Amino acid sequence: MTAPASDGRFGAFGGRYVPEALIPACRTLEREFAQAWADPGFRATLSRTLRLYAGRPTPVTPATRLSAELGVTVLFKREDLAHTGSHKINNVLGQALLAQRMGRTQMLAETGAGQHGVAAATAGALLGLDVTVFMGAKDVERQQLNVFRMELLGATVVPVTSGGQTLADATSEAFRHWVGRSETAHYCIGSTLGPHPYPLMVREFQRVIGEEARAQCSELLPAAVPDFVVACVGGGSNAAGTFAGFVDTSARLVGVEAAGGAAIGRGSPGILHGFESYLLQDGDGQVLEAHSVSAGLDYPGVGPEHAHLADSGRATYVSATDDEVLAALVKLARTEGLLGALESCHALAWVLRAAGTSELPTGSTVLVTLSGRGDKDAAQVRELLK
Ligand SMILES: *Cc1c(COP(=O)(O)O)cnc(C)c1O
């Protein structure tokens, strides 16, 4: 996983497909990010904030009882223990500090279920930035508690009533709002998506997951590096950050998509929200809505670098069904005392299905990124288990 080409492409994917009016904003962001990332002062401020505020480093926890049951050694990278309950804080703190460095006073964000919106509102409150979160009107209705959380943190939530009134529409609206305001507002995208430099920048802000895990695995595993590194894939940010720490090793990288949102598994190349990648679309190129038990994996596309890693064969992408995910969540709770997010349980669902087969042979070592905690999903899981 390296820098994309100068046009923002990872192999055949990525790029910068935005209206003319947003090209200067993307160029400025590309330059400012590159300078900040090369600046030891910026890196030190981000590291310090991640450590003193967000609770990093998160541990790697050996899953003893689960490992004995499966016949493979499972380790969890515990992003559920990061502040706000998932890896999303890593990215928003990076982008909020960058926005501050660029002299921006406002931050725009899109959100689906509300997790990225809450994280963005949190970072905005910490750094004194005005945060506006665009959210599909349907999601506003379904996620009232998260809307309240964002408002409590001082953010403004704007319901988006166009199209299907969900995440894809909220993202389009956030881009529209950014036009003409890029001198004062930074658009904080929540995953490894969007026009160049976002997929690169978000991966770099999430790289801390993989780098920490690499060092932690070397202390816990005799072979230092696990045989398999597994993460769930929505837009692909927790997977990209995890894979970045292991891409130069012999570890097999496995991304797990939701069966109803499998852009790599069932999609075809297309352009959405400023980048080219695999997308769920019909024969006419109409983008289809993704459906998954976990709102965080309900995006019809996937980050361009994952599309490239899939094509190059360096990473493998599989999918898990809602039923498998629910079973994995219960198994994790009862064998390890961990309530995982439904998103994260996609990664574990593949491990449960594959363990002991030729896909994941007995005796293997597996690092699974537990991208978030499941408290947010408890009410939904209760209904699903009825
Ligand atoms: C948002 C979210 C995801 C999906 O996003 P990625 O960019 O694919 O990482 C996964 N897990 C949790 C807990 C999330 O909140």
Side-chain angles (χ1 to χ4, degrees):
M1 297 170 83
T2 52
S6 59
D7 59 356
R9 288 191 164 266
F10 296 95
F13 303 99
R16 181 183 283 157
Y17 297 87
V18 292
E20 200 60 45
L22 280 179
I23 298 276
C26 289
R27 286 227 178 94
T28 302
L29 184 61
E30 179 184 357
R31 189 182 62 241
E32 293 275 351
F33 168 68
Q35 284 170 1
W37 209 229
D39 174 359
F42 179 82
R43 299 281 281 252
T45 304
L46 177 57
S47 291
R48 183 182 155 81
T49 310
L50 288 171
R51 187 163 47 86
L52 299 183
Y53 181 73
R56 304 209 71 89
T58 61
V60 164
T61 303
T64 315
R65 295 210 318 128
L66 190 63
S67 299
E69 208 173 296
L70 296 177
V72 298
T73 299
V74 179
L75 304 169
F76 287 116
K77 177 59 174 165
R78 300 287 307 281
E79 294 304 293
D80 59 314
L81 291 176
H83 180 44
T84 70
S86 83
H87 67 292
K88 288 198 167 72
I89 195 76
N90 307 326
N91 172 43
V92 299
L93 285 175
Q95 289 199 49
L97 284 168
L98 181 61
Q100 197 177 49
R101 179 183 159 106
M102 290 169 71
R104 306 294 184 255
T105 54
Q106 295 169 26
M107 203 156 69
L108 313 176
E110 80 295 335
T111 199
Q115 297 306 112
H116 173 57
V118 170
T122 300
L126 178 72
L127 298 180
L129 299 166
D130 260 353
V131 175
T132 303
V133 180
F134 295 87
M135 189 170 188
K138 261 190 207 160
D139 291 330
V140 168
E141 197 53 43
R142 287 189 288 217
Q143 304 288 342
Q144 293 186 15
L145 193 57
N146 273 339
V147 172
F148 178 68
R149 281 195 182 106
M150 289 182 255
E151 289 172 347
L152 197 55
L153 289 159
T156 304
V157 179
V158 178
V160 175
T161 53
S162 53
Q165 312 194 358
T166 59
L167 175 59
D169 312 289
T171 307
S172 302
E173 191 55 35
F175 272 113
R176 266 195 290 278
H177 192 84
W178 197 30
V179 175
R181 291 184 179 83
S182 61
E183 293 288 313
T184 50
H186 169 68
Y187 177 19
C188 177
I189 294 185
S191 188
T192 41
L193 304 169
H196 181 55
Y198 283 99
L200 166 70
M201 177 173 71
V202 177
R203 180 197 77 198
E204 291 302 286
F205 286 145
Q206 293 292 0
R207 170 184 287 281
V208 65
I209 304 173
E211 286 183 348
E212 283 175 10
R214 172 86 171 263
Q216 291 161 324
C217 283
S218 76
E219 286 184 7
L220 291 166
L221 297 173
V225 169
D227 300 318
F228 291 82
V229 172
V230 189
C232 68
V233 176
S237 70
N238 86 87
T242 305
F243 292 176
F246 295 92
V247 71
D248 62 339
T249 72
S250 60
R252 303 264 300 271
L253 310 177
V254 181
V256 187
E257 298 186 290
I264 295 179
R266 295 193 300 116
S268 52
I271 294 169
L272 180 70
H273 297 145
F275 67 104
E276 181 163 9
S277 189
Y278 288 115
L279 293 182
L280 295 177
Q281 51 192 337
D282 66 17
D284 301 326
Q286 281 292 106
V287 175
L288 302 172
E289 255 187 64
H291 290 287
S292 156
V293 66
S294 63
L297 303 186
D298 263 359
Y299 186 75
V302 65
E305 192 168 19
H306 288 293
H308 178 55
L309 287 169
D311 272 16
S312 74
R314 177 62 190 94
T316 306
Y317 295 83
V318 296
S319 67
T321 66
D322 288 355
D323 287 345
E324 289 175 316
V325 170
L326 208 54
L329 184 142
V330 172
K331 174 66 84 185
L332 178 63
R334 299 200 176 157
T335 54
E336 299 296 334
L338 297 171
L339 286 182
L342 283 166
E343 292 86 355
S344 322
C345 289
H346 283 72
L348 181 62
W350 176 77
V351 172
L352 298 185
R353 185 175 79 213
T357 72
S358 57
E359 265 188 287
L360 178 53
T362 300
S364 307
T365 51
V366 193
L367 175 75
V368 178
T369 295
L370 199 63
S371 55
R373 64 174 184 234
D375 307 52
K376 68 180 176 64
D377 300 321
Q380 187 189 353
V381 169
R382 181 171 64 175
E383 289 305 311
L384 291 167
L385 290 174
K386 268 184 186 161

